[in-house]
Amino acid sequence: MLKIGPIELESRLILGTGKFENGDIQREAVDASETNALTFAVRRMNLYDKDLPNPLESVDLDKYITFPNTAGAKTAEEAVKIAEIARAAGMCDMIKVEIIGDDKTLLPDAIETYKACEILLESGFIVCPYIQCDVVLAKKLETLGVHAIMPLGSPIGTGLGINDALNLSYIIDAISVPVIVDAGIGSPSDAAYAMELGADAVLLNTAVSHAKDPVKMAEAMKLAVHAGFIGATAGRIPKKYTAQASSPTEGLEFL
């Protein structure tokens, strides 16, 4: 069971809901993932006008924890306003704080993210900031009181996997709140690797929605996250740089 503040999640895979070819594929992929938390950009949702298209109309949201994010925000003020809109619309108070600081790389703005987290925490939100693999920032945010840290694996939508395993490991080792690897996951092996490093969960979208078969990929990601988590808790053998016989030779007679 993964606990983020008061929220409990049975699955350690959190699925994004954008970019699917159609609603049927989206629904089937969500079902196959067996996630129980869905993230979505509040700015892309028509929360008040029911006559406008709803990108999540094919999904029974009563079955899931809704995890709104502030994608599209470029300042702390914009992120706070988006979070307040989500709250007013009855969404979950758990918010992914995503503030992009560079339009080309889509990398997060650390300063604005910190400011937004400070305001949102004071307003009683369950705050989960999206950040680069910066252990100093992660520790400062934990001290501030955030409920989870969401470092990127690699830039959004690239599918490059875990680009900075060392600094990601520093974050995992340094903080006690959950670490959710977010962005850049391209394959099940990337998701498993993130979990093997000690992450508590993985959030992904493009790797599933843009796969040739999103439903199969959703199932693969589910299994990869589960296998990686079990593998991490089982404890891998240490790496050695000389061969080690797998069968004992003591007591054997050789011709």
Side-chain angles (χ1 to χ4, degrees), residues 58 88 96-97 146 150 153 168 192 214 226:
S58 65
K96 173 188 167 184
V97 180
V146 302
M150 304 183 72
L168 177 57
H226 187 56

Side-chain angles (χ1 to χ4, degrees), residues 147-165:
H147 300 85
I149 298 289
M150 304 183 72
L152 56 83
S154 52
I156 294 170
T158 61
L160 292 172
I162 309 300
N163 272 2
D164 196 349

Side-chain angles (χ1 to χ4, degrees), residues 16 22-23 35 58-59 63 66 88 109 121 161 166 179 196 198 200 218:
N22 58 59
T35 184
S58 65
V59 179
K63 294 167 55 179
T66 53
D109 185 319
L121 285 166
L166 179 61
V179 174
E196 287 172 357
D200 295 283

